[in-house]
Amino acid sequence: MIPTLEWLPEGVNFLDQTKLPLEETYVLATDYKQVARVIKDMIVRGAMAIGVSAAMGVALGIERSSATSLAELSAEVDDISKTLAETRPTAVNLFWGIAQIRNLYTKLALSHTPIPEIKKQVVALARRLYDEDIANLRKLGALGAELLPQQGTVLTHCNAGALAACGYGSALGVIRAAIGQGKQIDVFADETRPFNQGARLTAWELVKDNIPTTLICDNMAGYFMSKGRISAVIVGADRIAANGDTANKIGTYSVAILAKEHGIPFYVAAPFNTIDMATPEGGAIPIEQRAAREVTHVNGVQVTPEGVAIENPAFDVTPAKYVTAIITERGVLRAPYAESIPAMATDAQPELASA
């Protein structure tokens, strides 16, 4: 398994996903500002990977701090957290990752723990979150695999695979687990314009895993559904509201409507920390607006006329009524989500406090 990100003595090493599938290169971040830039520039992307990356960014900032007092270090932690929180506002996992390290720091600081020990403990937690992400996604994958047919084609949008996490993946983790159970599953991957995560990333990692994969343009999904070619749709999520409304890569909403029209199950696969109980419904989810160049250029080549106006929202929100089930490592959620989500939440929600 190629590591999406990795804690090294020199810093945090990231697989540069902007260079895939043509180049497998890495970017080493040696301070928290570089981690923030890696997240902002989508060198690392995917809600799960962003969460752990943010945690490692805060831990790296604390570890590399030259502060000699807790008061000085606490002020730095505020700045570190703020810088990382401003990178990708839609993914709630970002704030979860920041809060994981910041909450531990606050607890240790309040007990007057020596700074060297604080540094040791926050780094240990960041590295543990990496391992837990992979373990949780393997649980999620096993649960979701039971929902897929014994044989058929599964459509996915964007990349919710190993590249969107520390490894294994959520939506693609379900597919991997189903194949591991002996199911005969092949994949249709939407290209996912404008950043082409499906064409560049999903296709790349599934081909490397020898999973049968067909790449289709975004506007072909309805055609193949109408022909009976699609058995199920499974996608990831960047934030799930308390009522089950789901924010995912732009274009997911359209696919969900098409699936509903054709009677095809539409599954969302995401770790439980993607659910934001503080966001009551999808209209309250902030939608990141990205640079026009992602639309106007392809591989650095301009493909649009000068002066044309550009809109580039990175995400859309799929209403809960279109979601057949939400697959998490804790179990499978079904409608009414306003009841099933709080029932599963128990006492987990303090982890989701905004950083």
Side-chain angles (χ1 to χ4, degrees), residues 7 34 41 65 116 134 161 164 180 182 184 214 249 269-270 297 301 308 342:
W7 184 280
Q34 291 177 0
D41 290 350
S65 171
I134 297 173
Q184 296 179 334
T214 301
K249 184 55 57 182
H297 289 66
V301 178
V308 67

Side-chain angles (χ1 to χ4, degrees), residues 55-346:
M56 288 188 172
V58 179
L60 185 64
I62 293 172
E63 185 197 46
R64 300 292 165 93
S65 171
S66 58
T68 57
S69 70
L70 286 175
E72 185 182 356
L73 182 55
S74 294
E76 287 188 21
V77 171
D78 288 342
D79 289 339
I80 293 167
S81 300
K82 182 175 184 294
T83 298
L84 287 161
E86 292 173 345
T87 55
R88 301 291 307 278
T90 300
V92 72
N93 307 65
L94 173 82
F95 304 101
W96 170 86
I98 294 169
Q100 291 290 302
I101 304 300
R102 187 166 182 173
N103 290 347
L104 174 60
Y105 170 79
T106 300
K107 177 182 176 182
L108 295 173
L110 286 173
S111 62
H112 303 288
T113 304
I115 289 177
E117 180 62 21
I118 289 177
K119 292 182 176 183
K120 178 181 177 181
Q121 289 200 36
V122 297
V123 170
L125 175 57
R127 299 185 71 173
R128 188 164 70 248
L129 293 176
Y130 175 93
D131 294 333
E132 289 176 356
D133 180 70
I134 297 173
N136 286 339
L137 291 179
R138 288 189 179 277
K139 293 177 185 176
L140 183 157
L143 290 167
E146 301 296 330
L147 303 178
L148 296 187
Q150 188 62 37
Q151 181 176 354
T153 298
V154 178
L155 173 69
T156 190
H157 186 73
C158 194
N159 174 263
L163 292 171
C166 298
Y168 202 67
S170 55
L172 298 192
V174 171
I175 292 168
R176 286 187 170 95
I179 292 172
Q181 292 177 4
K183 294 187 174 183
Q184 296 179 334
I185 299 295
D186 67 285
V187 179
F188 270 20
D190 277 348
E191 61 181 349
T192 321
R193 279 280 293 150
F195 212 67
N196 292 323
Q197 295 97 320
R200 294 187 302 105
L201 306 179
T202 296
W204 178 79
E205 67 169 272
L206 291 180
V207 167
K208 286 184 76 71
D209 269 1
N210 295 313
I211 295 174
T213 305
T214 301
L215 179 66
I216 64 172
C217 297
D218 290 348
N219 54 4
M220 295 177 182
Y223 170 83
F224 286 112
M225 288 182 183
S226 73
K227 299 298 182 182
R229 295 282 300 277
I230 308 297
S231 301
V233 179
I234 186 164
V235 300
D238 287 79
R239 186 182 302 213
I240 301 171
N243 71 340
D245 291 350
T246 298
N248 192 52
K249 184 55 57 182
I250 191 75
T252 303
Y253 177 35
S254 304
V255 173
I257 293 174
L258 286 167
K260 184 77 169 183
E261 176 66 22
H262 291 88
I264 298 168
F266 180 91
Y267 301 118
V268 173
F272 193 79
N273 61 19
T274 307
I275 300 174
D276 183 7
M277 295 298 290
T279 299
E281 47 82 29
I285 297 175
I287 300 299
E288 177 186 0
Q289 300 290 326
R290 293 191 60 82
R293 185 179 175 87
E294 291 180 359
V295 177
T296 61
H297 289 66
V298 176
N299 292 330
V301 178
Q302 185 168 331
V303 294
T304 58
E306 291 287 353
V308 67
I310 300 295
E311 289 280 354
N312 189 18
F315 304 92
D316 56 26
V317 175
T318 298
K321 66 182 180 180
Y322 295 116
V323 179
T324 306
I326 299 171
I327 307 162
T328 80
E329 76 278 13
R330 296 186 179 196
V332 177
L333 292 159
R334 294 188 181 272
Y337 297 107
E339 296 176 11
S340 60
I341 288 175
M344 186 178 283
T346 62

